[in-house]
Amino acid sequence: MAWASTPKVVLGCIAFTIFWIMAVFPKVPFLPIGRTAGSLVGGALMVVFQVLSPKEAFAAVDLPILGLLFGTMVVSVYLQRADLFKHLGSILSWKSYGGKDLLCRVCLLSAISSAFFTNDTTCVIFTEFLLKICKQKNLHPEPFLMALASSANIGSAATPIGNPQNLIIAVQSRISFGKFLLGILAAVVVGLVVNTVGLVLMYWKQLSASKIVEEEKEIGLADQNKVKQQLPDSLPISNLPSGSDQNMTYESEVAARDPSDMVETEPTQKQSSGNRMFDNAVVHDRKHENILSKRADPANASNRAKVLPIESAFIDLDNKIVETSNRREGVSEVDEIGPSRHSFVELSDRLSLELRPSFSRPSQFGSRSSNRSLTAASLAISASINHTLIQDADDNDTEMGPRQKLRKRIWKICVYLVTVGMLAALLSGLNLTWTAITGAVVLMVLDFSDAGPILDQVSYSLLVFFSGMFITVDGFNRTGAPGQFWNTVEPHSRINTVKGLTVLSLVVILLSNVASNVPTVLLLGMRIAASAQATPGASVTKAWLILAWVSTVAGNLTLLGSAANLIVSEQARRAPSFRYNLSFWNHLKFGIPGTLVVIAVGLPLIQS
C-alpha cells in the first residue's frame, strides 16, 4: 500500500502512538486513564484528524468478533456459577504427590481450561486458589504462577475461542473450529510438554517443600525480631493483646511490610486448613473489641492517649466500610436492609485496593509501624468478609431442602450439557459468533431468572477496548506505514523456507511484545495470508495458524507480553491470603528461553 498524504501519515502515526502508549503503559503520569479509555482516544483522534471518516470508523468495528467475545464471556460466567472451575481447582489438590506433581497438574489443567474458556478467565479463576495451595503445602509460589500463566497462553492457542487474537484470525480467515484445532493441536501438545519440563528443571530446588519450610521459618524469626525493635513508643507491647494475639500482630506487620515474605506460623492446636486461613481476621476482630472495651473503662484512662491512634483507625475503617456499602448499594442506612452479598464482594475488593494505600501515608495516623498494622488489619478484615461469604454459601447449600438441591443439581447438569453442545456445534463448522451467542441465550433461559446480575459480570470494558482498537488500527493501516514495513520484510519472511519462517516468527514475536499480539494480528494477518497465497508451495491456512501459534506463545516472552501474565502478577500481588510479587525480571528469566524453544518446537508440527 502506498503512502497517504503527509498530514495523514503524521497525524495517523501520532494517534496510533498515543493508543500504543496507553495500551502498553495504562498508568502513564501525563494521562492515567487506562487501556480502555486510551483505545477510545486513539479511535477518536483518527476521526478528528480526518484519517478516517465517521462512516469508515464505524465500518472498522468488527461486530462478529465482539459478538463472539460477548458470547464466550457469558458462557464462562454461567460455568463459574455451576462450579466447573471449583471442580477443576479441586483436582489440583486431590492426592498431590509434592511440588513437581502439582506443577504438572497446573500446566495441564490451565492449558485445557484456557483452550475452551480463554486464557484470561483461567488465570482470574485459578491464581488465588493456587496461592492458597502453595501456602498450605509450604511451596514457593513462583514456579506455579509461571506455570499457570505460560501454560494458559500455550493452551489457548489450540482453539479459535482460546484468546482474542485467535478469534480475529478465525473470523478473518474463515477457518472452521475443527480445522483450526486439528491443524495446531500437535504443536500445542508438544509445546506444553516442553514448557512443563523446562519449568521443572529450572525450579527443581524451589519445588522442594522441606527446604521452603526451613527458609520461611528463618525469615519469619528474623522479621519478627526486626518488627519488635521497630515498634513505636506510642504503642507499647503492654497495651497489645496478650498471648497468640500479640504474636499474630507481629506476623501481620511482617506480611504488610513485605508481601513476598509471607510466613505461615505453626498452629498451637489442631486446626482445619480453612480455619488457619482466617486466623488473622479472627485475631484482629478480638483486638478491635478489646480496644473498644478499654476505651469505656475509666481505669485505663492513662493509656487512652496511647491507644487512640489505633482505635481511631479502626473506627475510620468501620466508617469507610459503611460509606462504601452505602455508596455502592444506594441506601442511606446499611442497617435498614442489611448489606447484600454483592456489596460484601465489592467491599472485599475495595479494602485491598483503596484502604491499603490510604493507610500507607505516615502523616495520617502517626508512625510507619502503626500504619503497617492498619494495612494488615484491612487485609485481615477483607479475608474475614471472604470467609463469611464462603460460609454463607455453604450454609445456603446445607439449608436447602432435598427438592431444592435436586433442582440445583439438574440446573448444573443442563449448563454442562449446553456447553458441550455449543462446542460440538463449533466443531461441526457452524458460525462461531452466532453459536456462542445462542449458547449464552439458552443458558439465560434455563436459569429462569433475571439475567441482569450475570450480564453485569461481562467485561464490557474489553469490548469497548476492542472497538477503539479496531478503529485505531484501521486508521494506522490507511497511513501506509504498515504496508511499507511489510513490503520491506515480506521478501525475507516467506513460509516455504526455514529462513523465511524464522524471520517471520522473529518479526511477530517482536511486534507482539512491543505493540501487543492483537494489534499485531490486525496489522499483519491479511498481509501474511496474501504473501502465502502468492508463494508457490505455501498454504494460506498454514500461514494463519503459524501467526496464531507465534503471536500467542510470544506472550510468554515478557511479563507485559500478554494480559494473562499481568492478571496472574496483579492478582498474586493483591491476594489477601498469601501475597507474592512476580516481578518483570523473575518472569524474564524463564520467559526468554521458554518462549523461543516452545515456538521453535511447535512450528514444524503445524498442519495446513
Side-chain angles (χ1 to χ4, degrees), residues 24 89 100 137 162 176 212 264 279 361 408 441 458 464 561 590:
V24 179
K100 300 176 186 66
K137 297 182 179 296
S176 67
I212 298 300
E264 182 180 8
D279 278 347
R361 294 189 291 269
K408 186 175 182 180
V441 171
V458 172
V464 173
F590 178 78

Side-chain angles (χ1 to χ4, degrees), residues 547-574:
L547 178 61
W549 171 249
V550 177
S551 64
T552 298
V553 182
N556 287 336
L557 188 74
T558 68
L559 188 63
L560 303 175
S562 75
N565 297 345
L566 294 173
I567 288 171
V568 170
S569 175
E570 286 299 303
Q571 284 211 324
R573 189 172 62 86
R574 294 172 177 173

Side-chain angles (χ1 to χ4, degrees), residues 108-130:
L108 180 62
L109 280 178
S110 60
I112 294 174
S113 175
S114 45
F116 298 102
F117 311 115
T118 77
N119 51 355
D120 295 349
T121 300
T122 298
C123 292
V124 168
I125 297 297
F126 284 126
T127 299
E128 189 171 344
F129 182 80
L130 191 58

Side-chain angles (χ1 to χ4, degrees), residues 241 244-245 248-249 252 269 271 274-290 314 376-377 379-385 387-388 391:
S244 61
D245 290 3
M248 190 62 70
T249 302
S252 299
Q269 56 185 3
Q271 297 172 309
N275 290 336
R276 283 202 307 272
M277 267 189 268
F278 301 99
D279 278 347
N280 283 348
V282 174
V283 169
H284 281 286
D285 286 344
R286 292 174 182 170
K287 180 178 177 182
H288 189 182
E289 294 173 1
N290 193 358
F314 274 109
L379 293 174
I381 294 175
S382 175
S384 177
I385 292 172
H387 185 43
T388 303
Q391 285 185 328

Side-chain angles (χ1 to χ4, degrees), residues 322 325-337:
V322 174
S325 181
N326 287 344
R327 185 168 60 253
R328 288 299 181 98
E329 295 298 318
V331 297
S332 57
E333 291 291 339
V334 176
D335 293 336
E336 290 180 4
I337 58 173

Side-chain angles (χ1 to χ4, degrees), residues 355-373:
L355 297 184
R356 185 170 178 267
S358 69
F359 288 145
S360 64
R361 294 189 291 269
S363 62
Q364 197 167 4
F365 296 112
S367 66
R368 294 183 179 179
S369 298
S370 299
N371 295 332
R372 287 195 292 266
S373 295

Side-chain angles (χ1 to χ4, degrees), residues 404-567:
Q404 290 176 313
K405 288 183 178 179
L406 178 62
R407 188 176 177 181
K408 186 175 182 180
R409 189 175 294 113
I410 293 174
W411 177 81
K412 288 182 179 180
I413 293 173
C414 289
V415 172
Y416 298 150
L417 290 176
V418 169
T419 305
V420 172
M422 185 187 78
L423 294 176
L426 292 172
L427 286 169
S428 66
L430 295 180
N431 183 274
L432 295 175
T433 301
W434 284 107
T435 300
I437 292 177
T438 302
V441 171
V442 171
L443 291 176
M444 291 180 199
V445 174
L446 286 176
D447 194 28
F448 206 67
S449 61
D450 182 15
I454 296 296
L455 296 177
D456 287 343
Q457 297 183 55
V458 172
S459 178
Y460 294 104
S461 61
L462 180 64
L463 300 179
V464 173
F465 172 80
F466 267 75
S467 300
M469 181 180 62
F470 288 141
I471 297 171
T472 306
V473 171
D474 188 60
F476 187 54
N477 273 326
R478 290 174 184 267
T479 64
Q484 294 298 319
F485 169 77
W486 180 249
N487 290 339
T488 304
V489 174
E490 192 272 338
H492 309 286
S493 58
R494 294 174 180 173
I495 63 172
N496 61 337
T497 64
V498 175
K499 178 184 176 182
L501 191 59
T502 302
V503 172
L504 177 63
S505 299
L506 291 175
V507 169
V508 173
I509 291 172
L510 177 63
L511 290 179
S512 294
N513 281 273
V514 172
S516 185
N517 41 26
V518 176
T520 298
V521 168
L522 288 172
L523 289 171
L524 297 183
M526 299 303 295
R527 292 180 172 87
I528 292 175
S531 174
Q533 191 172 14
T535 302
S539 167
V540 176
T541 300
K542 186 174 182 179
W544 281 110
L545 294 179
I546 287 172
L547 178 61
W549 171 249
V550 177
S551 64
T552 298
V553 182
N556 287 336
L557 188 74
T558 68
L559 188 63
L560 303 175
S562 75
N565 297 345
L566 294 173
I567 288 171

